[in-house]
Amino acid sequence: MASTRNLGAKARAADAILSAAVLLALWKLGSLAVGIDMVLPPPERVFSVLLGLFGSERFLSAFGATALRGLAAFALSLAIGGTLGFFMGTSRRFSSLMAAPLTVIRATPVLAIILLALIWFPSGMVPVFSSVVMAFPVVCADTAAGVRSTDPKLLDMARLFGLSRRQRAFSLRLPAALPHLIAGAKNALGLCWKVVVAGEVLSQPARALGTGMQSARVMLETAEVFAWAAAGVLLCALSDALFNRLSRRFSWPTA
């Protein structure tokens, strides 16, 4: 069994490497076809610029600040979305009351949320607020679906045995909601990074990956724009890998 699992992991790793190689090859061919670094720099040029950024204090402080904003936004989204989703799953009336606000939030463009946040908050808070607004409905919907998936027969049996609402919630509803909550959290985590960086590009806090991207764009340093964007992708990939590792460590089911 363990050997089969190891073979499966090696096959997935090989597929990931192959897909990355194909992507880099297409990027290189596109760069050669365009022939203008300012429009589409080659991957080796972007990699060289990225290595140069890694050694600068400016980059490290920006990377850390963006990481803190993303993690704060994710934690708030998980707390708000998980709480509201649980009550939506247990109460039809509360679910009906929340339907309209959640629909409005989902239909609102990310850019509109960021622009409003620019009016309401300091620049450093804009990315966090925007990310929470966009990410918590994802957790909320998945958690509510998980709570509603609780076996009604088990709930009826719990009532017959005299279990209180609190006991039914912790012993039946929460375990049923956990797989959905983890799946929603994983999706929300990726969304948080995207919105955080987008918010930084517009709000321009002193230390941020998005600020570095915008500064490079103004200077027409396309390779540096790619490098800052690659740093954001790396941050997202690291957090996603850590999330998956924790999920396996604690036997949480993931999508």
Side-chain angles (χ1 to χ4, degrees):
M1 187 69 177
S3 60
T4 304
R5 191 179 297 112
N6 289 334
L7 288 174
K10 290 180 180 178
R12 288 192 297 271
D15 290 341
I17 293 172
L18 177 61
S19 63
V22 171
L23 180 62
L24 288 173
L26 292 174
W27 181 0
K28 179 64 176 179
L29 290 174
S31 176
L32 292 174
V34 173
I36 304 175
D37 282 7
M38 187 180 293
V39 177
L40 184 60
E44 65 271 15
R45 165 69 176 153
V46 174
F47 184 69
S48 175
V49 173
L50 181 60
L51 287 179
L53 286 176
F54 271 122
S56 66
E57 183 179 347
R58 174 192 172 211
F59 173 81
L60 294 176
S61 62
F63 192 87
T66 297
L68 289 177
R69 292 188 188 99
L71 292 175
F74 173 66
L76 289 171
S77 300
L78 193 61
I80 296 171
T83 302
L84 293 178
F86 180 81
F87 287 113
M88 286 175 62
T90 56
S91 171
R92 291 185 180 275
R93 184 177 182 184
F94 185 74
S95 181
S96 299
L97 290 172
M98 290 297 300
L102 290 177
T103 299
V104 171
I105 291 172
R106 291 192 190 99
T108 303
V110 178
L111 184 59
I113 298 295
I114 296 174
L115 291 176
L116 288 173
L118 283 169
I119 300 172
W120 296 337
F121 302 105
S123 60
M125 285 297 298
V126 170
V128 177
F129 173 81
S130 304
S131 296
V132 171
V133 171
M134 299 308 298
F136 91 85
V138 176
V139 181
C140 190
D142 282 354
T143 304
V147 172
R148 294 192 193 103
S149 70
T150 307
D151 191 340
K153 294 181 180 178
L154 289 176
L155 291 172
D156 290 339
M157 184 175 66
R159 292 189 191 96
L160 288 175
F161 279 95
L163 269 68
S164 65
R165 291 175 64 91
R166 181 185 180 89
Q167 289 173 321
R168 294 198 299 270
F170 280 97
S171 60
L172 297 177
R173 293 191 183 276
L174 283 180
L178 184 59
H180 297 78
L181 174 62
I182 299 302
K186 186 176 181 180
N187 292 330
L189 181 60
L191 183 59
C192 280
W193 295 124
K194 295 176 185 178
V195 181
V196 160
V197 174
E200 290 174 345
V201 169
L202 292 177
S203 63
Q204 295 286 284
R207 293 182 295 275
L209 293 180
T211 301
M213 290 176 62
Q214 178 67 355
S215 299
R217 184 198 67 82
V218 171
M219 300 301 294
L220 297 179
E221 295 286 348
T222 309
E224 189 173 336
V225 173
F226 271 78
W228 284 103
V233 173
L234 176 62
L235 186 58
C236 181
L238 289 174
S239 65
D240 196 53
L242 179 60
F243 188 93
N244 289 335
R245 181 176 291 274
L246 288 173
S247 299
R248 290 192 297 268
R249 173 68 178 81
F250 294 101
S251 301
W252 294 339
T254 55

